[in-house]
Amino acid sequence: MPDLSSSQICPGCGAPLPEDSPQALCPACLLRQAITSGTIIAEGATATAGPPPAVEEIAGKFPQFEILECLGRGGMGVVYKARQKSLNRQVAIKILAPEREHDVRFAGRFAREAELLAKLSHPHIVTIHDFGETAGLYYLVMEFVDGVSLRDLLREGKLEPQQALAIVPEICDALQFAHDHGIVHRDIKPENILLNRFGRVKVADFGLAKLIAGASEIESGQSAPTAPAAEDLTEAGRTMGTPNYMAPEQTKNPNQVDSRADIYSLGVVFYQMLTGELPGKRIEAPSRKVQIDVRLDEVVLRALEREPERRYQQASIFKTQVETIASSPPREEPPYSKTEGVQGPRFSRLAIVGAVWGGICVGTLLLMFAA
Amino acid sequence: MSACNSPSTLFATTRWTVVCDAARGGDSRAVEALGALFGTYWQPLYRYARRRGKSREDAEDLVQGFLAHLIKAQALRGTGRGKGLFRAFLLASFNHWMINEWKYASREKRGGGVTLLSFDWESAETSLKLESADERSPDKLFDREWALTLLRKTLDDLEAACRAEGNTSQFENLKPCLTLDSSQIPYAELAARLDMTEGAARVAIHRLRKRYRHLLKEEVARTLSSPAAVESEMQSLFAALSG
């Protein structure tokens, strides 16, 4: 625990307090705390359509489920926690793009894509149990992940390097598996990276960006019907509000992206986990912002290359690089000295489990408070 | 110059956007709003002048004269949407003033007809350390001190709000949490110190942090012509503090 009574050293970053610190608080940490959370608030506050349908409203449409609560609304739709009566198991029901209710073309694409996605069975990918359409609503029944999203963890700032180093390889596994099955996620971001109570990664919403955006036919080699795919994606992109994580080529030409766009997005997420910040226009090496193994700079910056050809070509290579660093002694060139030595990055499942539980506890408490 | 005290009631009218918009229309509100902003951010300018080798008296005169010059609206007329940052505008105009115009204005004239600013000049001298070699340029130090001024103002506002609610001691005890990741916060220890349950302490800390972030963003937004730039300005200020 940091000593809050000491007036010489910042309990947050361990650097000596400047003489002119406002209220004897470390100015850099004051600002850092506001920035990390601010980014998140700004994103969370992006415009979404009206309020999600009430639990009672949805319950009538899904008699085979007991709808328990609305878990939230994202760019891809509204998610409810439910109990599947027949199997007595908890599931998450995602209602996709309610505005597509009467879109016939969407119906066909939805059936094709959902079937593909339901075949993705991997320990680090949120399983799709079922999908369908009821009363004009397209829905996916998914594995319910009891835990928190990476976004919840990042809400309070950066992660410890060893936490990030344990999370990234599991995301890589999920991506490589999906890429091998011809599926690009297209919307890797902290909201879609879930951590269960054991600290295991579960990546959600594979392929949904494409499904919603309507670019599926192009990538699978079939010609698009008359759908103005790019415009659709812009629309979906705006609703999602996550351009910060998009690869440059994805912004420019959404129809032409391949698996390397996911590598880029993971690079952004990795950068944010390490530094608590999104990479700026001129990307600064993470080790210049925080004290970490300098070899991580190379990995992160490679994933963030603007040209897809210069990035890691496979998620598995990305994973190997991260694991190599995690399993060997750290190399540090600290930008500033700290009072305590930073531990070398190590796999620490315990640290993630702790963070996940912390996130759950704070979340529950806030919910109670809000209620 | 009562506006320099920048009471919270003036808040809505003291934004840089108001200065830009009002100045274009020749509106007197521009002067009022500018005065209020200046009241918060004059110190970095004064210290900048000192670092540029001006004596205490000259630096005081420069700052006094500069505001008078700005208020005459001549300098404001050209402020359009392009002048995004109040921080950048102020430093550029001040440099221009210091180099070109000030030398022509006679010392006797300065302040004539203008109420002298009742700034605490002495406080602006604190830990100026002109004698020690600092490789950072005066411009860099200006940005750094701007960030410090902004943080100081935000914390003072937060403290005043807490005091008004009778939570002075809570603020004093919990303010270090504003610099910590949540994993670093000793909730139990703070709860014991404040004679609260740990749950209540967590909520109090969460609320304080949220309120602080809100106030800080509001303060940053005051100095911008577009609210969309808040995040990037915060990043710049962070860089100025780290550099």
Side-chain angles (χ1 to χ4, degrees):
Chain A
M1 279 301 164
D3 177 13
L4 302 188
S5 58
S6 163
S7 58
Q8 306 301 317
I9 301 289
C10 168
C13 65
L17 275 186
E19 206 179 315
D20 48 5
S21 297
Q23 302 239 9
L25 300 175
C26 171
C29 284
L30 274 170
L31 211 48
R32 185 169 54 81
Q33 288 296 335
I35 290 172
T36 49
S37 303
T39 311
I40 287 133
I41 290 163
E43 282 166 10
T46 47
T48 47
V55 166
E56 301 75 41
E57 200 181 320
I58 291 297
K61 296 180 177 171
F62 293 94
Q64 69 276 41
F65 296 97
E66 181 189 350
I67 308 291
L68 301 170
E69 61 178 303
C70 177
L71 293 173
R73 165 167 220 146
M76 299 301 170
V78 186
V79 188
Y80 296 86
K81 181 179 172 184
R83 188 177 67 85
Q84 189 173 10
K85 293 175 186 167
S86 59
L87 295 169
N88 191 24
R89 67 174 172 185
Q90 289 194 331
V91 294
I93 299 181
K94 176 162 274 191
I95 306 213
L96 294 169
E99 70 278 5
R100 300 289 191 156
E101 205 172 328
H102 303 293
D103 186 338
V104 182
R105 276 179 297 142
F106 181 74
R109 194 168 68 233
F110 174 76
R112 282 197 303 277
E113 291 288 322
E115 197 180 333
L116 268 181
L117 301 177
K119 284 184 181 147
L120 280 185
S121 172
H122 188 271
H124 295 309
I125 295 178
V126 174
T127 308
I128 295 183
H129 296 313
D130 196 7
F131 59 92
E133 180 261 322
T134 175
L137 293 177
Y138 298 96
Y139 66 91
L140 298 168
V141 181
M142 306 180 302
E143 169 188 6
F144 172 70
V145 179
D146 192 7
V148 296
S149 74
L150 184 57
R151 171 61 77 210
D152 295 323
L153 294 190
L154 285 171
R155 218 175 285 283
E156 296 300 341
K158 66 186 170 66
L159 304 187
E160 290 304 314
Q162 64 267 33
Q163 289 180 329
L165 287 176
I167 290 172
V168 169
E170 295 189 352
I171 306 174
C172 288
D173 277 343
L175 286 179
Q176 187 63 54
F177 182 82
H179 295 165
D180 288 344
H181 286 76
I183 292 170
V184 180
H185 191 295
R186 287 172 182 251
D187 195 22
I188 286 288
K189 58 179 175 178
E191 287 81 349
N192 287 336
I193 296 163
L194 310 178
L195 294 147
N196 69 14
R197 285 175 184 246
F198 307 106
R200 292 272 169 208
V201 168
K202 293 272 183 183
V203 182
D205 286 359
F206 259 99
L208 293 196
K210 186 168 90 171
L211 200 163
I212 302 244
S216 61
E217 289 78 2
I218 291 170
E219 205 178 57
S220 58
Q222 300 162 22
S223 63
T226 49
E231 278 171 35
D232 282 0
L233 189 67
T234 314
E235 178 193 310
R238 191 175 59 234
T239 323
M240 287 184 283
T242 46
N244 288 335
Y245 298 91
M246 280 187 191
E249 72 274 16
Q250 196 173 357
T251 319
K252 279 190 212 138
N253 194 352
N255 296 337
Q256 298 297 322
V257 303
D258 58 27
S259 57
R260 294 170 299 183
D262 285 348
I263 305 268
Y264 181 93
S265 304
L266 178 55
V268 179
V269 172
F270 197 7
Y271 189 98
Q272 196 178 9
M273 279 195 264
L274 292 171
T275 66
E277 297 169 21
L278 290 163
K281 261 202 174 132
R282 249 191 57 243
I283 302 169
E284 205 175 336
S287 74
R288 294 180 65 87
K289 291 181 172 278
V290 286
Q291 194 170 15
I292 52 162
D293 191 323
V294 290
R295 291 173 301 171
L296 286 171
D297 286 349
E298 203 182 316
V299 177
V300 173
L301 297 178
R302 175 110 187 253
L304 289 174
E305 285 284 359
R306 294 190 65 80
E307 301 299 328
E309 296 74 29
R310 302 180 67 161
R311 288 176 211 147
Y312 294 114
Q313 300 297 299
Q314 301 266 339
S316 56
I317 307 175
F318 194 161
K319 177 192 169 186
T320 309
Q321 294 294 317
V322 173
E323 286 185 335
T324 306
I325 292 172
S327 60
S328 58
R331 210 167 71 206
E332 286 175 16
E333 285 162 28
Y336 53 81
S337 66
K338 281 192 163 192
T339 48
E340 297 170 36
V342 167
Q343 307 149 1
R346 285 193 307 270
F347 280 80
S348 171
R349 177 79 43 209
L350 205 62
I352 303 177
V353 173
V356 169
W357 277 95
I360 294 170
C361 292
V362 172
T364 312
L365 206 81
L366 293 177
L367 277 176
M368 282 164 56
F369 182 72
Chain B
M1 288 309 301
S2 60
C4 286
N5 297 327
S6 172
S8 56
T9 45
L10 272 174
F11 187 76
T13 58
T14 58
R15 287 172 171 269
W16 181 231
T17 30
V18 175
V19 179
C20 295
D21 290 347
R24 272 203 307 278
D27 194 324
S28 67
R29 282 183 315 146
V31 168
E32 214 177 290
L34 179 71
L37 275 173
F38 201 84
T40 306
Y41 294 102
W42 66 273
Q43 268 208 15
L45 275 187
Y46 172 88
R47 292 165 72 93
Y48 178 81
R50 295 282 284 127
R51 290 207 175 88
R52 286 278 181 203
K54 305 293 178 195
S55 69
R56 291 170 75 142
E57 294 73 22
D58 279 356
E60 274 182 38
D61 277 351
L62 269 165
V63 172
Q64 300 258 23
F66 176 59
L67 182 59
H69 158 75
L70 282 185
I71 282 174
K72 276 187 215 140
Q74 297 295 334
L76 284 179
R77 203 154 289 161
T79 42
R81 285 284 171 192
K83 302 278 179 17
L85 299 175
F86 178 54
R87 172 168 59 90
F89 165 81
L90 210 59
L91 187 60
S93 316
F94 188 65
N95 257 320
H96 189 259
W97 163 252
M98 198 158 69
I99 295 160
N100 299 313
E101 305 192 27
W102 182 61
K103 60 187 172 196
Y104 299 116
S106 79
R107 190 167 283 226
E108 285 70 33
K109 265 192 194 165
R110 228 168 310 114
V114 176
T115 315
L116 286 179
L117 304 173
S118 55
F119 289 154
D120 183 358
W121 305 103
E122 198 57 46
S123 74
E125 285 285 323
T126 313
S127 62
L128 200 49
K129 290 187 187 149
L130 294 175
E131 65 287 350
S132 68
D134 192 326
E135 75 268 19
R136 291 173 293 188
S137 69
D139 291 57
K140 281 234 162 93
L141 288 166
F142 172 82
D143 285 345
R144 179 179 179 276
E145 285 174 356
W146 185 279
L148 289 174
T149 304
L150 194 142
L151 288 169
R152 204 167 285 127
K153 163 108 173 39
T154 305
L155 289 173
D156 288 351
D157 287 352
L158 183 62
E159 185 179 18
C162 290
R163 199 187 312 121
E165 291 161 10
N167 289 329
T168 309
S169 140
Q170 206 180 80
F171 174 80
E172 277 306 314
N173 280 289
L174 299 186
K175 70 182 182 187
C177 300
L178 300 176
T179 64
L180 299 175
D181 290 342
S182 66
S183 59
Q184 297 175 308
I185 297 176
Y187 289 106
E189 183 195 319
L190 291 170
R193 206 186 296 167
L194 288 167
D195 198 18
M196 284 175 153
T197 64
E198 198 175 323
R202 276 180 186 269
V203 172
I205 290 165
H206 173 77
R207 296 184 70 188
L208 186 75
R209 283 156 69 94
K210 197 170 162 188
R211 201 166 180 184
Y212 158 72
R213 287 168 192 147
H214 176 74
L215 284 173
L216 181 68
K217 287 185 145 195
E218 282 287 328
E219 186 57 35
V220 173
R222 283 178 76 206
T223 68
L224 304 174
S225 68
S226 158
V230 168
E231 196 66 28
S232 73
E233 172 69 349
M234 281 173 44
Q235 302 280 2
S236 307
L237 295 176
F238 180 72
L241 286 171
S242 318

